[in-house]
Amino acid sequence: AENNLVTGDLAGAAERFVEQYYQDKVVALWTLGPAGDQNPKYVSWKMGSIGDHKREPGYPLMDALGQVIGEEVVRVAALINTMTGDANIEAEQRIAACPAKIPAHNPKHHELDVQPVESLDIHLGLILINQIALTAVSGEVATNIYRHLKNASPFANTLMITLANDRLGYIVDDAGYDTPTFEAQATPLQRGYAEAAIVNGLVAMMEKYC
């Protein structure tokens, strides 16, 4: 909370490790998966500066976690033994409107002027690279929605990228509304609409290319 510097945070630390490992001959890309109910495995809470006192607290831990993630990227990349220069790429997007509500957790402490609206648009996207489906959602999606999408997807390799093309806010699965979590209280969407709109909308786009 005390950090007032601009930083790439954990994503930047992981990207730096991978790029340095390959001697800056690659560009490492980071995307957020279903991040609505996820945090880094270890989080610094006012731990104080360690080592370099010119940096804010938490940076050493960020670098360490970045290396852990980067090491896994390098390990997996080394297992790839089949590559191709040919790729069929398809792309599509659509918008799903869902009924909105005032969040139970009204973020007034962020000085936001929250006003009621009838509905909010969820931007859905698909980039299909051969048999790899990269799906995109314009909010912080809970993990269970991604799990349901993978189960319904016609492609074995289906990934979800969230906070893509907009930031609607937290999007929880229908069952998640019964849990006393920050995400369930802060979502601006009514129950019973978003999960189906995301899963069914993305699957419908993918089925066109099966």
Side-chain angles (χ1 to χ4, degrees):
E2 293 77 25
N3 188 353
N4 57 7
L5 302 178
V6 176
T7 169
D9 206 84
L10 179 56
E15 290 174 335
R16 282 193 299 274
F17 178 88
V18 173
E19 292 174 357
Q20 290 171 5
Y21 180 87
Y22 290 110
Q23 300 177 334
D24 292 325
K25 295 180 180 179
V26 303
V27 175
L29 301 178
W30 172 288
T31 63
L32 278 178
D37 49 0
Q38 296 189 41
N39 274 325
K41 186 173 183 178
Y42 302 106
V43 180
S44 168
W45 298 105
K46 297 184 179 181
M47 59 181 284
S49 297
I50 297 177
D52 186 355
H53 294 283
K54 295 180 181 179
R55 308 178 80 193
E56 294 285 332
Y59 274 73
L61 181 57
M62 177 194 74
D63 289 334
L65 287 175
Q67 179 169 345
V68 170
I69 294 172
E71 291 274 11
E72 180 66 4
V73 172
V74 171
R75 184 191 71 81
V76 172
L79 299 177
I80 298 174
N81 51 30
T82 302
M83 303 186 70
T84 177
D86 298 324
N88 181 59
I89 300 177
E90 304 284 355
E92 187 175 341
Q93 62 180 349
R94 63 173 60 180
I95 293 176
C98 293
K101 67 181 182 68
I102 294 292
H105 178 83
N106 194 337
K108 292 181 179 179
H109 60 284
H110 292 306
E111 299 181 356
L112 296 179
D113 182 17
V114 178
Q115 298 291 334
V117 295
E118 290 187 2
S119 66
L120 291 170
D121 289 340
I122 302 176
H123 294 260
L124 303 177
L126 169 68
I127 298 178
L128 191 64
I129 307 174
N130 291 341
Q131 298 297 302
I132 301 173
L134 303 177
T135 65
V137 184
S138 61
E140 279 192 76
V141 180
T143 305
N144 278 338
I145 295 180
Y146 173 52
R147 288 177 177 152
H148 298 161
L149 174 66
K150 286 194 69 174
N151 290 335
S153 172
F155 296 98
N157 297 312
T158 299
L159 306 176
M160 177 180 283
I161 300 170
T162 62
L163 293 175
N165 303 316
D166 201 353
R167 190 203 179 280
L168 176 67
Y170 291 107
I171 304 178
V172 298
D173 56 294
D174 292 342
Y177 283 81
D178 292 329
T179 59
T181 63
F182 175 83
E183 295 82 10
Q185 297 178 46
T187 181
L189 299 173
Q190 292 186 29
R191 181 179 191 165
Y193 299 94
E195 180 176 357
I198 291 171
V199 174
N200 295 339
L202 291 172
V203 169
M205 284 193 283
M206 288 187 278
E207 287 178 340
K208 294 170 59 176
Y209 304 102
C210 293

